[in-house]
Amino acid sequence: DADVTQTPRNRITKTGKRIMLECSQTKGHDRMYWYRQDPGLGLRLIYYSFDVKDINKGEISDGYSVSRQAQAKFSLSLESAIPNQTALYFCATSVSGNTEAFFGQGTRLTVV
Amino acid sequence: GQSLEQPSEVTAVEGAIVQINCTYQTSGFYGLSWYQQHDGGAPTFLSYNALDGLEETGRFSSFLSRSDSYGYLLLQELQMKDSASYFCAVRSSGNTPLVFGKGTRLSVIA
C-alpha cells in the first residue's frame, strides 16, 4: 500500500544539536507538509511545499528549515534544537485538487 | 488569518449519539474537513464539506453551514473504538494548506 514514511520514529537529542527529520512518500502526491502537535494545541503548520521548487512558511516556522529534495522527499531540520521543540511531528501529503491529507506515523522528538 | 473553535473534551455513552461542533473564521473558504486521531496514531481523514448540508458516511455524518461559519461531526451508535481526538480543519483556498482546530477528545464510556 502507498505510504507516507517518517524517520526516525523517536529521537532524543541534546539542546543545541542539529537534527533532521525525514519524510518520504510513495503516493505520487505533489504537496507535502510538516505539522507539529503539542497536547491541547492541535496540529500547527511549520512549513509546506506544493512542488519541488516551492517552499512556504507556516504558522510556526521560526527555528525550523526544510528541504524538498524530490517530489517524494521533504525533510525538516532543527538547526539548534531547544527544549520547547519537544513535540510530536507529522509529515503529510496531498494532491492538488483533492482536499484529503495523508499523514505519516509521526516522529516523537525530545530535546533535553 | 484563520481560527477554529471546538470543544476540548466530550464524553458520551456507548450506543449513544454525539455531536462535535466547530466554528471557524477564515478570510476565504474552501471547505471544512474532519480528521480522527487515536492515541499514538496519525490523523486520518473522515469527511469533507464544501457545500451547506449533511454528508453521511456510515455511522459518521458531517454538517456545514457556510452562512454561520459552523459545522459539526455527528457520530451515531457510538462504539468504544470511537474514543479518539477529532479535529476540524479548513482551507481558505485551493492553494492554501489545511489549518486545524485544537481538537476534541471524545471518551466513550460503557
Side-chain angles (χ1 to χ4, degrees), chain B residues 12-48:
Chain B
V13 177
E14 190 176 19
I17 299 172
V18 71
Q19 178 174 312
I20 300 174
N21 299 319
C22 175
T23 57
Y24 59 87
Q25 290 184 319
T26 180
S27 54
F29 183 75
Y30 197 74
L32 180 70
S33 301
W34 288 92
Y35 285 75
Q36 179 191 58
Q37 184 183 28
H38 286 100
D39 285 349
T44 57
F45 175 81
L46 287 177
S47 68
Y48 170 71

Side-chain angles (χ1 to χ4, degrees), chain B residues 49-67:
Chain B
N49 295 68
L51 303 176
D52 290 353
L54 192 69
E55 295 280 344
E56 298 182 59
T57 307
R59 295 187 296 113
F60 292 5
S61 303
S62 56
F63 172 82
L64 175 65
S65 169
R66 288 175 298 170
S67 61

Side-chain angles (χ1 to χ4, degrees), chain A residues 9 31 33 35 37 40-45 48 50 59 88 90 94-106 108, chain B residues 30-31 33 35 37 40-50 85 87 91 93-103:
Chain A
R9 293 293 311 278
R31 299 181 171 190
Y33 313 84
Y35 288 90
Q37 187 172 36
L41 295 180
L43 292 151
R44 293 183 292 166
L45 183 66
Y48 64 100
F50 282 176
E59 176 189 356
L88 184 57
F90 284 102
S94 69
V95 62
S96 55
N98 191 313
T99 57
E100 182 176 353
F102 295 83
F103 285 79
Q105 288 304 303
R108 186 167 296 281
Chain B
Y30 197 74
S33 301
Y35 285 75
Q37 184 183 28
T44 57
F45 175 81
L46 287 177
S47 68
Y48 170 71
N49 295 68
S85 292
F87 296 89
R91 293 169 67 188
S93 79
N95 287 316
T96 56
L98 279 170
V99 174
F100 286 83
K102 294 182 179 180

